[in-house]
Amino acid sequence: MSEFTFSFNGEWKGGRSGYGHICTKGLDQTVSIGAEMNGPGQGTNPDELLISAVATCYMMTLGIALDKRRLPYEKIVITSKGTVTDDSGLHFKEIIHFPTAIIKKDTDKDIKEKILQAMAQAEKDCMIAKALKGNVEISVKPQLKARED
């Protein structure tokens, strides 16, 4: 059994209108409550970080799945949207991924179907999505797009 450890350092000053700083191996960022939630909107915020983590995990999981299945694609482009609600206290309600696999124009119909299946399965295999299961509804609305030559 393997274990992997990740670390985080942070500091915070103030209340709701305060700000802070977070640092990981690959991230060095100012943080505050988002302007959408009447905060100062400096740097990023936990809501953006959560959706970024889920979307990045999905994107990487999908890339790995397509590679393992030897399914041809040029690249994956993704937009994800998260909804926070204050119904019964603030909480993440849902995250929707809108991934697009860029493929060659002459890609076989059977291959296209297998790519779409992999796009649906990747959300179920993503470890960050698994950590949120039962708390945040996560869905995928995949599409394919032929490469512009």
Side-chain angles (χ1 to χ4, degrees), residues 93-141:
K93 177 182 174 186
E94 68 178 345
I95 295 173
I96 305 171
H97 298 305
F98 300 92
T100 302
I102 310 300
I103 58 174
K104 292 181 182 178
K105 286 184 181 183
D106 61 351
T107 301
D108 181 73
K109 183 179 177 181
D110 184 51
I111 298 294
K112 288 179 182 178
E113 185 59 37
K114 288 178 180 178
I115 292 171
L116 287 169
Q117 289 170 359
M119 293 172 89
Q121 183 63 40
E123 186 275 320
K124 296 173 183 75
D125 295 338
C126 164
M127 76 170 189
I128 303 297
K130 288 178 187 179
L132 298 175
K133 190 172 181 152
N135 293 308
V136 179
E137 182 181 328
I138 302 174
S139 59
V140 179
K141 299 188 184 236

Side-chain angles (χ1 to χ4, degrees), residues 2-22:
S2 298
E3 286 190 2
F4 307 94
T5 302
F6 300 91
S7 62
F8 166 91
N9 295 301
E11 60 182 53
W12 182 262
K13 181 176 181 175
R16 184 168 189 78
S17 62
Y19 63 94
H21 190 88
I22 60 172

